[in-house]
Each structure stands twice: as C-alpha cells, then as structure tokens.
Amino acid sequence: MGAGNHTGVSLFFLLGLSEDPELQPLLFGVLLSMYLVTVLGNLLIIRAISSDSRLHTPMYFFLSNLSFVDICFVSTTVPKMLVNIQAQRKDISHVGCLTQVYFFMIFAGMDGFLLTVMAYDRFVAICHPLHYMVIMNARLCVLLVLMCWFVIFWVALIHLLLLMQLTFCVGTEIPHFFCELTQILKVACSDTLINDIFLLVTTVLLGVFPLTGIFFSYFQIVSSLMKMSSIEGKYKAFSTCGSHLSVVSLYYGTSLAVYLSSDVFHSPQRSSIASVMYTVLTPMLNPFIYSLRNKDVKGALVRLLSRGAPCG
C-alpha cells in the first residue's frame, strides 16, 4: 500500500473489540446499557447537587464538574462505536478520528486534574478545618477548574496540531475501538519522534504530577489524623475521603491496566478490553461510589427522586 499525505486519507478503519459477528448484538446491548447508565447516573449527581443547598460546598462543586466531564468522556467514544456496530461498519473519517483524539485527551486529562483538585480540597478540609471556607472560597474553586480546562485545552491542541503533520497509508487500520493517540502514532507512515517526545512530556504532566499531588495531599491528611487523640474524630475525618479514594483507585488502576495490556502483553485485544474499563466502566461506577458511600449525596438523591415521584 502506498503512503499518502494526511489530506488524502479520508478514512481510518477501527477494528473494534471483536470481529466475531455473533458477538456484535451482545456488545451493542452491553455497551448501550453501560452508556445510558453512565449518562443517567452522572446527570442525577449533577441535578442532586444543584438542587440541594446543603451540597453547595467546594467538594460537591468539584464532584458535579467531575460528573459533567465523565458524561463528555464516555460520549466521546461509545456513540461512534455503537453506530459502527449497528451499521456493521468500521470506518471513521480522518477529521472524525482527530476530533475524537482531541476531545478524548481533554476529558481524560480533566478527570485526572479534577481528582487532584478534590484531593487538595480534602487536605484543606482536614488539615485546616478552621480556615477551610476562607481558603476554598468560590473564587478559588472556579479558578482551579478554569486552570485545569486551560492547561488541558492547550495540551490537547498541540497534540492535534502535531498529528495533523503526520502522513498515513491508505486504508490504515487502527487496532482499537476508538482513535487512541498511541495507536494512531503506531500506524503513522511518517516519523513520529516529535509526537513521541511531546507524548512523554504530557504523560508526566497529566499522569505523574496529578498523582504526586494526590499522594502528597493524603500524606498530609494521614499525618494530621495521626495527631488526633480521638478515634471517632479520626474515623469521621477520614470517612469524607472514602469515596474520593475509591474513585482515584479505580481511575488510576484501570489506567495502569491499559498500560500493562499494551506495553507488556503487546496484545491489541487485551488493550481494547482494558480500555473499556478505563473509558466506560470508570465513569459508570463513579456515581454509584459517591451515592452509596456518601450519605449527603445519597440523601440529596432520595429527596430529588421523592420530589419527582407522583403522590400516591
């Protein structure tokens, strides 16, 4: 196959999760169900927080932003996959593929940034409780979120501009169910050295730095709790971190699974399956984690649903 300039390559082909035709109806049903549960669950979290004045605090402001990002995150990949399965097609346009890469990087990066900001919020709440509302004022909360959007917007845009300089072979096949950056770099027909260097830099920026911030926040939290004499006080303080820790473990655990499946096992199919956990399962489980482990959110959801229920 001859190589052509990227402007001449109109289509890529996504190989998907499985080429077995008998599995396609099952995959469609499972993925559609997971997508609807993810969107509905996160919308309920946003609605519950916005409608309950008791949840108008920094922690729940960040949580509502996380729910919004999760809806966008899963909507970047799953709808196109469902359309391809239903239409029995594998193609995606060159523009559509680059657009998918761009928004996937934005929302994946925002997830990591928001989890870091939420860890900082818990650090201030537990280590500096008397000054919490002064430090975590509305202006700072909005500024932190806007800074996250600003940084990830430019990181994703630079990646996109670098991708647009690459050339691809006609009929390029991507061994994935969506246009994932590293997979695209592997199938490019031109030199990807600059892309690879920038990818390494952004991996540190979007992965190592946020995770370091989370570790630092919880190290300070644990150190502060160790100084408390009351066991009940320790439990009450740390219980507010339970949901956040669960989501962080799920997010970075599935990210690690994707890395291991692609770089250690060198199996595209295992990498695709692991990516489902990262791109679909994690956003779906986040609302359940926060509603089941957090009594404030659970109470707000109950009040929201009871208001919407018809009177008997």
Side-chain angles (χ1 to χ4, degrees):
M1 290 185 293
N5 188 275
H6 68 279
T7 55
V9 179
S10 59
L11 293 175
F12 292 116
F13 295 94
L14 299 170
L15 299 186
L17 292 171
S18 172
E19 297 189 29
D20 188 346
E22 295 182 358
L23 282 179
Q24 301 310 307
L26 176 62
L27 284 174
F28 182 85
V30 170
L31 290 170
L32 178 61
S33 300
M34 294 176 73
Y35 178 70
L36 293 176
V37 169
T38 301
V39 173
L40 179 61
N42 282 288
L43 282 176
L44 280 174
I45 292 290
I46 294 172
R47 178 64 180 138
I49 292 173
S50 62
S51 64
D52 195 324
S53 59
R54 283 167 288 194
L55 299 186
H56 293 175
T57 63
M59 180 172 71
Y60 297 112
F61 170 73
F62 296 131
L63 176 57
S64 61
N65 276 272
L66 182 67
S67 292
F68 169 74
V69 168
D70 279 342
I71 292 173
C72 297
F73 185 40
V74 75
S75 298
T76 303
T77 57
V78 176
K80 176 58 180 174
M81 181 165 48
L82 292 174
V83 169
N84 280 7
I85 292 175
Q86 182 65 19
Q88 297 182 351
R89 298 173 58 180
K90 297 182 179 180
D91 60 282
I92 183 171
S93 68
H94 178 263
V95 173
C97 190
L98 294 185
T99 302
Q100 194 176 65
V101 170
Y102 176 70
F103 284 107
F104 181 84
M105 285 188 291
I106 283 181
F107 298 124
M110 277 301 297
D111 258 351
F113 280 159
L114 284 173
L115 289 175
T116 306
V117 171
M118 293 169 78
Y120 174 72
D121 172 75
R122 292 298 84 207
F123 155 70
V124 177
I126 294 174
C127 298
H128 306 283
L130 298 179
H131 302 97
Y132 175 66
M133 294 309 298
V134 176
I135 297 174
M136 299 301 295
N137 56 73
R139 183 179 178 181
L140 177 63
C141 292
V142 172
L143 182 62
L144 287 171
V145 172
L146 289 178
M147 283 178 58
C148 293
W149 281 110
F150 179 80
V151 171
I152 197 61
F153 169 81
W154 283 106
V155 168
L157 182 60
I158 294 172
H159 268 301
L160 180 64
L161 293 175
L162 290 174
L163 277 177
M164 292 174 67
Q165 307 307 311
L166 300 179
T167 58
F168 298 90
C169 298
V170 176
T172 296
E173 294 183 342
I174 301 174
H176 218 299
F177 63 86
F178 70 98
C179 291
E180 200 265 335
L181 178 60
T182 56
Q183 295 295 336
I184 293 178
L185 294 180
K186 288 178 182 178
V187 299
C189 294
S190 53
D191 183 44
T192 61
L193 177 62
I194 297 177
N195 302 74
D196 293 333
I197 292 173
F198 189 65
L199 178 59
L200 179 62
V201 172
T202 54
T203 299
V204 173
L205 174 66
L206 304 181
V208 177
F209 280 179
L211 191 57
T212 302
I214 292 172
F215 277 135
F216 175 78
S217 295
Y218 276 103
F219 175 79
Q220 296 296 322
I221 288 171
V222 172
S223 299
S224 179
L225 293 179
M226 293 295 289
K227 298 174 184 177
M228 291 185 181
S229 56
S230 170
I231 296 178
E232 183 180 352
K234 290 180 181 180
Y235 175 79
K236 185 177 180 181
F238 198 73
S239 64
T240 62
C241 305
S243 299
H244 179 257
L245 275 174
S246 299
V247 172
V248 168
S249 301
L250 186 63
Y251 176 81
Y252 283 101
T254 52
S255 301
L256 181 62
V258 172
Y259 168 76
L260 291 176
S261 61
S262 60
D263 286 6
V264 177
F265 297 111
H266 303 287
S267 171
Q269 187 175 15
R270 288 188 180 184
S271 179
S272 296
I273 294 172
S275 293
V276 171
M277 298 170 56
Y278 173 62
T279 59
V280 186
L281 188 63
T282 300
M284 185 186 75
L285 292 180
N286 285 353
F288 291 100
I289 292 172
Y290 273 99
S291 59
L292 293 176
R293 294 184 61 93
N294 189 303
K295 63 179 182 180
D296 294 328
V297 175
K298 189 188 300 183
L301 285 171
V302 170
R303 287 188 290 271
L304 175 66
L305 296 174
S306 63
R307 284 200 302 268
C311 297

